[in-house]
Amino acid sequence: MHTACKFVQRCSRRIHRHQARALHNNHAYGFAEGAPCDNLQHPCDAGEYKHFPGFKIPAFCLARNAISGIGSDSIYKETMALYCIGDVQGCDGALERLLDTIGFSASRDTVYLLGDLVNRGPDSAAVLRRCMAAGDAIRCLLGNHDLHLLAAAHGARAPSRRDTLGTLLNAPDAPALLAWLQAQPLARLHDHHGQQLLMVHAGVLPAWSTSDVLGRADEVQAVLRSDALPGFLHAMYGNTPDRWRDDLAGADRLRVIVNALTRLRFCTPGGVMDFESSEAASAAPPGLLPWFDAPGRRTAGTVVAFGHWSTLGWLNRSDVIGLDTGCVWGGCLTAVRFGTTLADRERLQVHCEQSQKPG
């Protein structure tokens, strides 16, 4: 296990042994903006607590009750909490550790998983079983790998060399797992104390409003739940059309919706989608820009949380939150916890064992 994460676990154990009083308001530890979880300090053993101004004390280093010196605005309380978690991709062990780290309670909290629940990691079936067992406490949406699983199950797509779906497809409960998966949406909207949080796996086209996103996602979900599913999965793949038009119909219309919500990274200022580039946002090819920087984007007034883009990593802007931090590649699995407003955020991470190598 990664050294920094061992420190996190030791910290958590000591807290549960009621030693939280040793932590004081200005003697906590944190991480700087943009730093991965392996840059965490280790306060519990060294006894030296480092404070980074502007960051709240990580939830995994606080007890779940009142601690002397923590102000009334702390988001770490024994009340229901809202979380979003990035791409799990079959890494159930990492998901279990992250849920333990945040102190997840199915009777109290709500967790949204932002798609790509399965594939490339070692135990996709366990991820789906965990989500199913949690009921409404863990709410999921579909990513491109989840749709790929459905396509493979219906013979619409042959497995690739990197796929790790065989165990799931051959499991005794595979029919139940697949039925649950195909009932999940491609977009969700959560009302958080009067503020709207829009969640998709990859991105949204600049011409779409929040209501457009939800309506287009519903179009795909209706097909996923119908007898037309096999035909849709056979026609789902492809890069064209590469832009939205209101008069699109049939397979072309559904393909554009799926590609935008589950594959989009870069587009032109006019909303033409690119599917060749997966670089970081700072390395946008000529003529392209990240979808969330498209001028006139109609969802700009709504906070959008998404995953899918591991080379982008953690992105924390007032209007967009990127949460794919490359768990399956040996990075971290990341959650964001919201306080009383969507602007009140805390990043929580666990390190992941590498299941895939780039290339």
Side-chain angles (χ1 to χ4, degrees):
M1 181 181 294
H2 197 278
T3 301
C5 293
K6 289 182 180 178
F7 285 122
V8 169
Q9 289 192 346
R10 282 199 289 270
C11 183
S12 179
R13 287 197 296 270
R14 294 183 183 196
I15 285 170
H16 286 296
R17 291 200 299 267
H18 307 288
Q19 294 185 3
R21 293 184 182 89
L23 297 177
H24 296 285
N25 188 34
N26 292 321
H27 297 283
Y29 76 97
F31 40 79
E33 184 77 15
C37 69
D38 58 359
N39 283 345
L40 289 171
Q41 304 300 313
H42 45 87
C44 293
D45 286 75
E48 298 177 356
Y49 309 111
K50 195 167 185 178
H51 178 63
F52 291 85
F55 286 88
K56 293 185 178 358
I57 298 171
F60 44 66
C61 216
L62 288 181
R64 292 280 166 174
N65 53 14
I67 297 177
S68 176
I70 303 301
S72 60
D73 62 341
S74 172
I75 64 176
Y76 308 111
K77 297 178 180 178
E78 291 248 4
T79 57
M80 58 183 177
L82 173 65
Y83 301 90
C84 289
I85 295 178
D87 300 35
V88 177
Q89 290 199 248
C91 298
D92 184 65
L95 178 59
E96 181 179 35
R97 287 187 290 112
L98 183 57
L99 293 174
D100 182 63
T101 293
I102 66 179
F104 169 69
S105 169
S107 64
R108 180 190 65 215
D109 302 327
T110 300
V111 169
Y112 286 95
L113 298 185
L114 302 181
D116 278 3
L117 310 177
V118 303
N119 206 14
R120 306 291 174 84
D123 205 344
S124 294
V127 172
L128 298 189
R129 292 180 188 123
R130 182 182 302 279
C131 294
M132 292 174 65
D136 195 47
I138 295 182
R139 304 173 186 180
C140 304
L141 52 85
L142 296 177
N144 51 302
H145 283 283
D146 308 312
L147 290 172
H148 176 67
L149 168 59
L150 294 175
H154 286 84
R157 196 72 167 182
S160 74
R161 62 181 179 86
R162 284 185 170 176
D163 286 348
T164 57
L165 300 172
T167 301
L168 190 162
L169 291 170
N170 293 313
D173 58 345
L177 298 176
L178 294 170
W180 176 86
L181 189 66
Q182 73 185 60
Q184 304 309 307
L186 272 71
R188 287 184 180 269
L189 188 70
H190 183 93
D191 184 274
H192 187 62
H193 303 298
Q195 296 179 302
Q196 290 188 329
L197 175 65
L198 176 64
M199 291 160 283
V200 297
H201 176 61
V204 299
L205 291 173
W208 291 353
S209 67
T210 298
S211 61
D212 288 337
V213 173
L214 297 171
R216 308 273 146 77
D218 284 347
E219 292 181 44
V220 177
Q221 189 176 21
V223 176
L224 291 175
R225 293 180 170 182
S226 74
D227 293 337
L229 173 62
F232 160 72
L233 294 171
H234 279 84
M236 179 178 66
Y237 290 90
N239 295 338
T240 58
D242 59 5
R243 69 201 74 188
W244 176 255
R245 298 195 320 270
D246 288 336
D247 62 351
L248 286 171
D252 283 349
R253 182 181 180 92
L254 295 175
R255 191 181 306 114
V256 171
I257 296 170
V258 166
N259 284 343
L261 297 179
T262 71
R263 297 179 61 201
L264 181 61
R265 295 185 182 96
F266 293 107
C267 65
T268 69
V272 178
M273 295 181 284
D274 170 76
F275 301 112
E276 301 300 324
S277 305
S278 59
E279 295 87 352
S282 59
L288 300 175
L289 69 170
W291 64 265
F292 45 79
D293 286 334
R297 177 169 59 87
R298 295 181 64 198
T299 52
T302 303
V303 178
V304 182
F306 66 99
H308 183 61
W309 200 343
S310 62
T311 54
L312 174 69
W314 165 252
L315 177 67
N316 185 21
R317 297 192 342 189
S318 61
D319 58 337
V320 288
I321 309 169
L323 284 159
D324 182 3
T325 47
C327 178
V328 77
W329 306 106
C332 296
L333 185 61
T334 298
V336 61
R337 176 173 178 166
F338 297 97
T340 54
T341 72
L342 293 178
D344 189 6
R345 306 168 188 171
E346 175 63 30
R347 177 179 56 173
L348 302 141
Q349 297 179 307
V350 295
H351 191 79
C352 303
E353 296 295 327
Q354 186 172 10
S355 299
Q356 294 284 333
K357 295 182 179 180

